[in-house]
Amino acid sequence: MTARLRSSGWYDGRGRNAYIHRAWMRRGLPDDFAGRPQIAIANTASDLTPCNAHLTEVAQAVKNGVYEAGGIPLDLPVVSPGETQVRPTAMLWRNLAAMATEEMLRANPIDGVVLLGGCDKTIPALLMAAASVDIPAVVVPGGPMLTGHFQGEPLGCGTDVWRLSEEVRAGRLDPEEFRRSESAMIRSKGHCNTMGTASTMALMAEALGMTLPGLAGTPAPDARLLQASHETGRLIVDLVTQQRCPTGLLTKASFHNAIVTLAAVGGSTNAVVHLLAIAGRLGVELTLEDFDRIGAAVPLLVNLLPAGKFLMDDFYRAGGLLAVLREVKDLLDPNAVTVTGRPLVEYLDDAQIWDPTVIAPRIAPLQNNAGIAVLRGSLAPGGAIIKPAAASPHLLRHRGRAVVFSSIEDLHHRIDHPDLDIDESSVMVLRGCGPKGYPGMPEVANMPLPRKLLARGVRDMVRICDGRMSGTAYGTVVLHVTPESAAGGPLALVRDGDWIALDVASRTIELEASSVELGAREADVTTAAAYAGPHRGWERLYIDHVLQADTGADLDFLVGSTGSEVARESH
Ligand code: FES
């Protein structure tokens, strides 16, 4: 027997309130609209989030499928933080987008939701929201853009901005040429085409079981994206009938599969903080150590920028995610179920690698043990992470003297000063960039190297920060240092010249100063001042309530789930 629709709580009955709810929604809909599944299309399309601007077209395809299956599709525009535009950093707005979406899903007569995201923070925010409301939900990732070319060479969106700008700073690229590359960087609709955060989170959504299997990674201009969107429209109506909700899908088993996937594809470090936040909404016990433990034995199979060579449309033509997962099927948890009701592992047998230069077979991986490493020690008692696949092998064990920057502005002000006391053995430290300190934990951990070292051919150094790193960036970067400096972490006590020892093999990051000496030091006042920052609005709320990176940087009062019940009527 079909379960009673949630929307019946608004529409059923002969009283005044049900009349109001129905009358205002009719607007040409058929008489029986109120008895059908009401499907929200949570759409992050926005001209100010260019990576998602095409999602309105995707929404139309979803709507066609919803109507076809007997549902009523309903546009639900939601907060859309565009990675390249919003200040001070899109991460500050992830939790706002998640909270606003959650509340609108709960407040409205909605039985199920299709989540349309793409640009970095949008899929995590939508999944956090759906998890906390726990109504049937399916993700349609908007897909990566096609590869642009400049002077005959492919451009990796994001990654090549960092690379070319460093070439300009090193004096090897004419600034005018750099400017000319701008028009070739974004070739088509869609999100960044490297294995950055957007691509990674789309793949995470599929690995978690929250998309149609085989959909994530479909390029935005590819007609198959619209076909899958149409099918997703049909599927969500079925999910409502079955009452298949996120809490039944997003289990420890599905997070296990997401972590295996993250390592195998060489995904963005940002996935760590996003997966922890999503798990926190569900009460799934996921820890930093799970990423290290589960990911440690997983081989790197995907040769994509920023760590490798190719781009997302190459990944898709080479077989896509299912081809990767077939290679590591034995490492996946067979109990994890997808939105279709079937386990993820059941979709792998027909998958095939069509280009082994893009997706390497298990017998010839690009790298063994590709997972994210979790470091602890006197500099990061709550943990820090590093992506060894994006680091320089010779720096994975390194001891050097600290060169400290108190803020990103301090770094920009002094990094190219000829008198800066720094060489390639130094350890660059940037603080004041954690969730509270910035606020919002920006992607600045991959600090630019000093111009004078770039000119000498130095291309990587050990860098340590309490902020995040763009998924499109690379280097020997220790990030998400917890506790952050603005929350009293030892990072605030580091001084120029202190010895710091990094040893990724033993998972340690140590500040070589005695506790007596550190106890006598005062925390950097610059970060303390930043912490006191805004006196009102979202930033104030965020600073007062944001948790540290090791648990996902959610707000303390948003962790967990409220469910979909709303006890009171509106009139
Ligand atoms: Fe939107 Fe990269 S800026 S995905």
Side-chain angles (χ1 to χ4, degrees), residues 209-436:
M210 293 300 291
T211 72
L212 271 178
L215 168 56
T218 307
D222 195 306
R224 285 167 288 188
L225 175 66
L226 298 181
Q227 180 185 332
S229 303
H230 188 120
E231 286 172 23
T232 300
R234 292 183 191 159
L235 174 67
I236 186 65
V237 176
D238 185 45
L239 256 65
V240 170
T241 308
Q242 310 279 338
Q243 277 304 291
R244 197 175 298 137
C245 297
T247 46
L249 299 172
L250 295 169
T251 59
K252 186 86 190 218
S254 47
F255 282 95
H256 174 102
N257 289 350
I259 293 172
V260 171
T261 304
L262 182 63
V265 303
S268 163
T269 49
N270 284 323
V272 176
V273 80
H274 295 320
L275 289 174
L276 286 167
I278 297 164
R281 298 300 185 99
L282 295 151
V284 171
E285 285 187 21
L286 190 71
T287 66
L288 264 186
E289 269 65 27
D290 287 329
F291 288 83
D292 206 327
R293 180 180 56 79
I294 298 168
V298 180
L300 175 67
L301 300 179
V302 176
N303 187 10
L304 249 64
L305 280 173
K309 180 176 173 194
F310 295 98
L311 292 161
M312 280 302 284
D313 46 0
D314 301 309
F315 175 72
Y316 189 63
R317 74 170 165 77
L321 181 60
L322 296 183
V324 177
L325 295 183
R326 185 182 179 185
E327 298 296 306
V328 292
K329 185 177 175 184
D330 58 307
L331 302 176
L332 297 173
D333 192 320
N335 296 312
V337 175
T338 70
V339 281
T340 64
R342 290 172 58 199
L344 181 64
V345 293
E346 284 190 9
Y347 288 90
L348 307 182
D349 289 344
D350 294 336
Q352 202 166 334
I353 296 173
W354 299 105
D355 185 345
T357 64
V358 181
I359 299 175
R362 177 80 169 270
I363 50 166
L366 295 159
Q367 188 180 315
N368 287 309
N369 312 328
I372 283 165
V374 178
L375 310 171
R376 289 186 191 268
S378 57
L379 194 53
I385 63 172
I386 185 169
K387 186 177 173 183
S392 302
H394 73 282
L395 290 174
L396 292 175
R397 187 159 188 260
H398 182 79
R399 184 172 176 268
R401 286 193 175 275
V403 176
V404 183
F405 302 95
S406 288
S407 65
I408 191 67
E409 292 79 15
D410 181 35
L411 176 103
H412 289 149
H413 186 62
R414 294 195 291 129
I415 189 67
D416 287 334
H417 199 287
D419 294 337
L420 183 68
D421 185 10
I422 192 167
D423 64 27
E424 56 268 50
S425 71
S426 302
V427 173
M428 297 172 67
V429 174
L430 173 60
R431 59 189 169 213
C433 299
K436 288 175 184 290

Side-chain angles (χ1 to χ4, degrees), residues 49 51-52 82-84 118-120 157 191-192 198 472:
T49 307
C51 309
N52 294 13
E83 190 66 29
T84 54
C119 197
D120 294 15
C157 176
H191 61 66
C192 290
T472 61

Side-chain angles (χ1 to χ4, degrees), residues 127-145:
L127 281 173
M128 290 161 73
S132 286
V133 185
D134 200 29
I135 57 173
V138 189
V139 176
V140 176
M145 65 184 72

